PDB file of all heavy atoms in Angstrom:
ATOM      1  N   ARG A 595      98.117  80.859 105.355  1.00 89.00           N
ATOM      2  CA  ARG A 595      98.233  82.128 105.812  1.00 89.00           C
ATOM      3  C   ARG A 595      97.095  83.148 105.554  1.00 89.00           C
ATOM      4  O   ARG A 595      96.897  84.172 106.136  1.00 89.00           O
ATOM      5  CB  ARG A 595      99.559  82.911 105.233  1.00 89.00           C
ATOM      6  CG  ARG A 595     100.748  82.256 105.628  1.00 89.00           C
ATOM      7  CD  ARG A 595     101.946  82.972 105.075  1.00 89.00           C
ATOM      8  NE  ARG A 595     103.201  82.199 105.439  1.00 89.00           N
ATOM      9  CZ  ARG A 595     104.287  82.237 104.709  1.00 89.00           C
ATOM     10  NH1 ARG A 595     104.217  82.876 103.602  1.00 89.00           N
ATOM     11  NH2 ARG A 595     105.303  81.529 104.939  1.00 89.00           N
ATOM     12  N   ARG A 596      96.198  82.691 104.650  1.00 85.00           N
ATOM     13  CA  ARG A 596      94.991  83.457 104.255  1.00 85.00           C
ATOM     14  C   ARG A 596      93.782  83.143 105.062  1.00 85.00           C
ATOM     15  O   ARG A 596      92.733  83.752 104.920  1.00 85.00           O
ATOM     16  CB  ARG A 596      94.701  83.404 102.851  1.00 85.00           C
ATOM     17  CG  ARG A 596      95.934  83.798 102.020  1.00 85.00           C
ATOM     18  CD  ARG A 596      95.793  83.562 100.609  1.00 85.00           C
ATOM     19  NE  ARG A 596      94.978  84.724 100.078  1.00 85.00           N
ATOM     20  CZ  ARG A 596      94.476  84.703  98.906  1.00 85.00           C
ATOM     21  NH1 ARG A 596      94.673  83.730  98.080  1.00 85.00           N
ATOM     22  NH2 ARG A 596      93.771  85.689  98.521  1.00 85.00           N
ATOM     23  N   PHE A 597      93.779  82.066 106.092  1.00 81.00           N
ATOM     24  CA  PHE A 597      92.664  81.745 106.751  1.00 81.00           C
ATOM     25  C   PHE A 597      92.976  81.771 108.236  1.00 81.00           C
ATOM     26  O   PHE A 597      94.027  81.503 108.551  1.00 81.00           O
ATOM     27  CB  PHE A 597      92.227  80.264 106.363  1.00 81.00           C
ATOM     28  CG  PHE A 597      91.520  80.131 104.981  1.00 81.00           C
ATOM     29  CD1 PHE A 597      92.344  80.115 103.912  1.00 81.00           C
ATOM     30  CD2 PHE A 597      90.247  80.228 105.058  1.00 81.00           C
ATOM     31  CE1 PHE A 597      91.680  79.982 102.654  1.00 81.00           C
ATOM     32  CE2 PHE A 597      89.595  80.250 103.645  1.00 81.00           C
ATOM     33  CZ  PHE A 597      90.263  80.054 102.628  1.00 81.00           C
ATOM     34  N   HIS A 598      91.950  82.069 108.912  1.00 80.00           N
ATOM     35  CA  HIS A 598      91.995  82.113 110.456  1.00 80.00           C
ATOM     36  C   HIS A 598      90.955  81.169 110.926  1.00 80.00           C
ATOM     37  O   HIS A 598      89.752  81.460 110.724  1.00 80.00           O
ATOM     38  CB  HIS A 598      91.870  83.463 111.033  1.00 80.00           C
ATOM     39  CG  HIS A 598      92.787  84.404 110.526  1.00 80.00           C
ATOM     40  ND1 HIS A 598      94.146  84.505 110.926  1.00 80.00           N
ATOM     41  CD2 HIS A 598      92.655  85.411 109.536  1.00 80.00           C
ATOM     42  CE1 HIS A 598      94.671  85.449 110.338  1.00 80.00           C
ATOM     43  NE2 HIS A 598      93.941  86.035 109.444  1.00 80.00           N
ATOM     44  N   PHE A 599      91.307  80.045 111.590  1.00 81.00           N
ATOM     45  CA  PHE A 599      90.293  79.184 112.220  1.00 81.00           C
ATOM     46  C   PHE A 599      90.150  79.559 113.586  1.00 81.00           C
ATOM     47  O   PHE A 599      90.961  79.326 114.421  1.00 81.00           O
ATOM     48  CB  PHE A 599      90.897  77.673 112.097  1.00 81.00           C
ATOM     49  CG  PHE A 599      90.980  77.244 110.684  1.00 81.00           C
ATOM     50  CD1 PHE A 599      92.180  77.256 110.043  1.00 81.00           C
ATOM     51  CD2 PHE A 599      89.841  76.826 109.916  1.00 81.00           C
ATOM     52  CE1 PHE A 599      92.453  76.909 108.744  1.00 81.00           C
ATOM     53  CE2 PHE A 599      90.094  76.379 108.577  1.00 81.00           C
ATOM     54  CZ  PHE A 599      91.335  76.400 108.017  1.00 81.00           C
ATOM     55  N   LEU A 600      89.091  80.319 113.858  1.00 81.00           N
ATOM     56  CA  LEU A 600      88.804  81.074 115.117  1.00 81.00           C
ATOM     57  C   LEU A 600      88.265  80.170 116.261  1.00 81.00           C
ATOM     58  O   LEU A 600      88.486  80.484 117.398  1.00 81.00           O
ATOM     59  CB  LEU A 600      87.888  82.233 114.861  1.00 81.00           C
ATOM     60  CG  LEU A 600      88.352  83.227 113.856  1.00 81.00           C
ATOM     61  CD1 LEU A 600      87.457  84.308 113.766  1.00 81.00           C
ATOM     62  CD2 LEU A 600      89.743  83.811 114.247  1.00 81.00           C
ATOM     63  N   GLY A 601      87.735  79.127 115.976  1.00 82.00           N
ATOM     64  CA  GLY A 601      87.102  78.299 117.040  1.00 82.00           C
ATOM     65  C   GLY A 601      85.887  79.044 117.701  1.00 82.00           C
ATOM     66  O   GLY A 601      85.437  79.953 117.305  1.00 82.00           O
ATOM     67  N   VAL A 602      85.643  78.533 118.896  1.00 86.00           N
ATOM     68  CA  VAL A 602      84.509  79.197 119.656  1.00 86.00           C
ATOM     69  C   VAL A 602      85.062  80.495 120.155  1.00 86.00           C
ATOM     70  O   VAL A 602      86.178  80.689 120.795  1.00 86.00           O
ATOM     71  CB  VAL A 602      84.234  78.314 120.880  1.00 86.00           C
ATOM     72  CG1 VAL A 602      83.079  78.966 121.744  1.00 86.00           C
ATOM     73  CG2 VAL A 602      83.662  76.976 120.350  1.00 86.00           C
ATOM     74  N   ARG A 603      84.105  81.607 120.027  1.00 87.00           N
ATOM     75  CA  ARG A 603      84.582  82.961 120.359  1.00 87.00           C
ATOM     76  C   ARG A 603      83.510  83.617 121.214  1.00 87.00           C
ATOM     77  O   ARG A 603      82.321  83.292 121.055  1.00 87.00           O
ATOM     78  CB  ARG A 603      84.859  83.829 119.031  1.00 87.00           C
ATOM     79  CG  ARG A 603      85.889  83.278 118.234  1.00 87.00           C
ATOM     80  CD  ARG A 603      87.268  83.234 118.825  1.00 87.00           C
ATOM     81  NE  ARG A 603      87.693  84.631 119.111  1.00 87.00           N
ATOM     82  CZ  ARG A 603      88.623  85.214 118.468  1.00 87.00           C
ATOM     83  NH1 ARG A 603      89.387  84.586 117.569  1.00 87.00           N
ATOM     84  NH2 ARG A 603      88.994  86.443 118.787  1.00 87.00           N
ATOM     85  N   ASN A 604      83.861  84.408 122.021  1.00 91.00           N
ATOM     86  CA  ASN A 604      82.909  85.302 122.822  1.00 91.00           C
ATOM     87  C   ASN A 604      82.968  86.744 122.301  1.00 91.00           C
ATOM     88  O   ASN A 604      82.214  87.634 122.986  1.00 91.00           O
ATOM     89  CB  ASN A 604      83.268  85.114 124.276  1.00 91.00           C
ATOM     90  CG  ASN A 604      83.110  83.677 124.835  1.00 91.00           C
ATOM     91  OD1 ASN A 604      82.137  83.073 124.485  1.00 91.00           O
ATOM     92  ND2 ASN A 604      83.995  83.306 125.657  1.00 91.00           N
ATOM     93  N   ASP A 605      83.781  87.071 121.404  1.00 91.00           N
ATOM     94  CA  ASP A 605      83.762  88.511 120.887  1.00 91.00           C
ATOM     95  C   ASP A 605      83.294  88.599 119.516  1.00 91.00           C
ATOM     96  O   ASP A 605      83.941  89.286 118.616  1.00 91.00           O
ATOM     97  CB  ASP A 605      85.356  88.857 120.940  1.00 91.00           C
ATOM     98  CG  ASP A 605      86.246  88.002 120.221  1.00 91.00           C
ATOM     99  OD1 ASP A 605      85.883  87.017 119.723  1.00 91.00           O
ATOM    100  OD2 ASP A 605      87.351  88.381 119.946  1.00 91.00           O
ATOM    101  N   ILE A 606      82.195  88.070 119.213  1.00 85.00           N
ATOM    102  CA  ILE A 606      81.615  88.055 117.817  1.00 85.00           C
ATOM    103  C   ILE A 606      81.288  89.513 117.424  1.00 85.00           C
ATOM    104  O   ILE A 606      81.662  89.823 116.313  1.00 85.00           O
ATOM    105  CB  ILE A 606      80.316  87.231 117.737  1.00 85.00           C
ATOM    106  CG1 ILE A 606      80.612  85.700 118.164  1.00 85.00           C
ATOM    107  CG2 ILE A 606      79.567  87.369 116.456  1.00 85.00           C
ATOM    108  CD1 ILE A 606      81.680  85.095 117.293  1.00 85.00           C
ATOM    109  N   PRO A 607      80.753  90.287 118.188  1.00 84.00           N
ATOM    110  CA  PRO A 607      80.625  91.845 117.668  1.00 84.00           C
ATOM    111  C   PRO A 607      81.876  92.492 117.205  1.00 84.00           C
ATOM    112  O   PRO A 607      81.869  93.100 116.206  1.00 84.00           O
ATOM    113  CB  PRO A 607      80.026  92.510 118.919  1.00 84.00           C
ATOM    114  CG  PRO A 607      79.425  91.435 119.690  1.00 84.00           C
ATOM    115  CD  PRO A 607      80.124  90.191 119.605  1.00 84.00           C
ATOM    116  N   GLU A 608      82.924  92.286 117.818  1.00 88.00           N
ATOM    117  CA  GLU A 608      84.251  92.749 117.413  1.00 88.00           C
ATOM    118  C   GLU A 608      84.718  92.059 116.121  1.00 88.00           C
ATOM    119  O   GLU A 608      85.251  92.785 115.320  1.00 88.00           O
ATOM    120  CB  GLU A 608      85.230  92.562 118.540  1.00 88.00           C
ATOM    121  CG  GLU A 608      85.076  93.442 119.824  1.00 88.00           C
ATOM    122  CD  GLU A 608      83.986  92.807 120.835  1.00 88.00           C
ATOM    123  OE1 GLU A 608      83.522  91.733 120.564  1.00 88.00           O
ATOM    124  OE2 GLU A 608      83.770  93.427 121.811  1.00 88.00           O
ATOM    125  N   ILE A 609      84.537  90.805 116.031  1.00 88.00           N
ATOM    126  CA  ILE A 609      84.901  90.133 114.819  1.00 88.00           C
ATOM    127  C   ILE A 609      84.126  90.682 113.719  1.00 88.00           C
ATOM    128  O   ILE A 609      84.676  90.943 112.556  1.00 88.00           O
ATOM    129  CB  ILE A 609      84.841  88.641 114.965  1.00 88.00           C
ATOM    130  CG1 ILE A 609      85.849  88.128 115.988  1.00 88.00           C
ATOM    131  CG2 ILE A 609      85.022  87.899 113.591  1.00 88.00           C
ATOM    132  CD1 ILE A 609      85.717  86.680 116.403  1.00 88.00           C
ATOM    133  N   LEU A 610      82.830  90.789 113.738  1.00 88.00           N
ATOM    134  CA  LEU A 610      81.938  91.294 112.731  1.00 88.00           C
ATOM    135  C   LEU A 610      82.347  92.700 112.317  1.00 88.00           C
ATOM    136  O   LEU A 610      82.378  93.007 111.190  1.00 88.00           O
ATOM    137  CB  LEU A 610      80.511  91.210 113.178  1.00 88.00           C
ATOM    138  CG  LEU A 610      79.821  89.845 113.214  1.00 88.00           C
ATOM    139  CD1 LEU A 610      78.438  89.976 113.784  1.00 88.00           C
ATOM    140  CD2 LEU A 610      79.753  89.258 111.850  1.00 88.00           C
ATOM    141  N   ALA A 611      82.698  93.532 113.377  1.00 86.00           N
ATOM    142  CA  ALA A 611      83.028  94.943 113.052  1.00 86.00           C
ATOM    143  C   ALA A 611      84.318  95.046 112.329  1.00 86.00           C
ATOM    144  O   ALA A 611      84.544  95.923 111.583  1.00 86.00           O
ATOM    145  CB  ALA A 611      83.208  95.726 114.416  1.00 86.00           C
ATOM    146  N   ALA A 612      85.177  94.060 112.434  1.00 90.00           N
ATOM    147  CA  ALA A 612      86.534  93.986 111.766  1.00 90.00           C
ATOM    148  C   ALA A 612      86.367  93.385 110.296  1.00 90.00           C
ATOM    149  O   ALA A 612      87.261  93.422 109.474  1.00 90.00           O
ATOM    150  CB  ALA A 612      87.549  93.210 112.480  1.00 90.00           C
ATOM    151  N   SER A 613      85.239  92.845 110.016  1.00 93.00           N
ATOM    152  CA  SER A 613      84.999  92.196 108.655  1.00 93.00           C
ATOM    153  C   SER A 613      84.465  93.123 107.712  1.00 93.00           C
ATOM    154  O   SER A 613      83.937  94.287 108.032  1.00 93.00           O
ATOM    155  CB  SER A 613      84.144  90.935 108.872  1.00 93.00           C
ATOM    156  OG  SER A 613      82.840  91.317 109.134  1.00 93.00           O
ATOM    157  N   HIS A 614      84.490  92.730 106.431  1.00 96.00           N
ATOM    158  CA  HIS A 614      83.826  93.520 105.395  1.00 96.00           C
ATOM    159  C   HIS A 614      82.714  92.894 104.742  1.00 96.00           C
ATOM    160  O   HIS A 614      81.732  93.472 104.319  1.00 96.00           O
ATOM    161  CB  HIS A 614      84.902  93.787 104.251  1.00 96.00           C
ATOM    162  CG  HIS A 614      86.020  94.648 104.675  1.00 96.00           C
ATOM    163  ND1 HIS A 614      85.988  95.986 104.937  1.00 96.00           N
ATOM    164  CD2 HIS A 614      87.323  94.215 104.938  1.00 96.00           C
ATOM    165  CE1 HIS A 614      87.131  96.477 105.283  1.00 96.00           C
ATOM    166  NE2 HIS A 614      87.981  95.414 105.333  1.00 96.00           N
ATOM    167  N   ILE A 615      82.624  91.428 104.818  1.00 97.00           N
ATOM    168  CA  ILE A 615      81.653  90.740 104.273  1.00 97.00           C
ATOM    169  C   ILE A 615      81.305  89.472 105.180  1.00 97.00           C
ATOM    170  O   ILE A 615      82.267  88.938 105.737  1.00 97.00           O
ATOM    171  CB  ILE A 615      81.981  90.136 102.838  1.00 97.00           C
ATOM    172  CG1 ILE A 615      82.355  91.324 101.882  1.00 97.00           C
ATOM    173  CG2 ILE A 615      80.882  89.356 102.194  1.00 97.00           C
ATOM    174  CD1 ILE A 615      83.033  90.736 100.658  1.00 97.00           C
ATOM    175  N   TYR A 616      79.975  89.117 105.366  1.00 96.00           N
ATOM    176  CA  TYR A 616      79.598  88.037 106.129  1.00 96.00           C
ATOM    177  C   TYR A 616      79.356  86.895 105.135  1.00 96.00           C
ATOM    178  O   TYR A 616      78.523  87.159 104.218  1.00 96.00           O
ATOM    179  CB  TYR A 616      78.460  88.323 106.960  1.00 96.00           C
ATOM    180  CG  TYR A 616      77.959  87.090 107.614  1.00 96.00           C
ATOM    181  CD1 TYR A 616      78.531  86.548 108.740  1.00 96.00           C
ATOM    182  CD2 TYR A 616      76.736  86.430 107.207  1.00 96.00           C
ATOM    183  CE1 TYR A 616      77.998  85.441 109.485  1.00 96.00           C
ATOM    184  CE2 TYR A 616      76.278  85.310 107.871  1.00 96.00           C
ATOM    185  CZ  TYR A 616      76.896  84.908 108.933  1.00 96.00           C
ATOM    186  OH  TYR A 616      76.402  83.745 109.562  1.00 96.00           O
TER     187      TYR A 616
END
Side-chain angles (χ1 to χ4, degrees):
R595 291 187 187 146
R596 301 177 79 188
F597 284 86
H598 302 280
F599 298 98
L600 302 179
V602 176
R603 300 295 295 248
N604 295 318
D605 58 345
I606 299 304
E608 292 82 3
I609 292 171
L610 287 173
S613 68
H614 296 285
I615 302 167
Y616 172 79

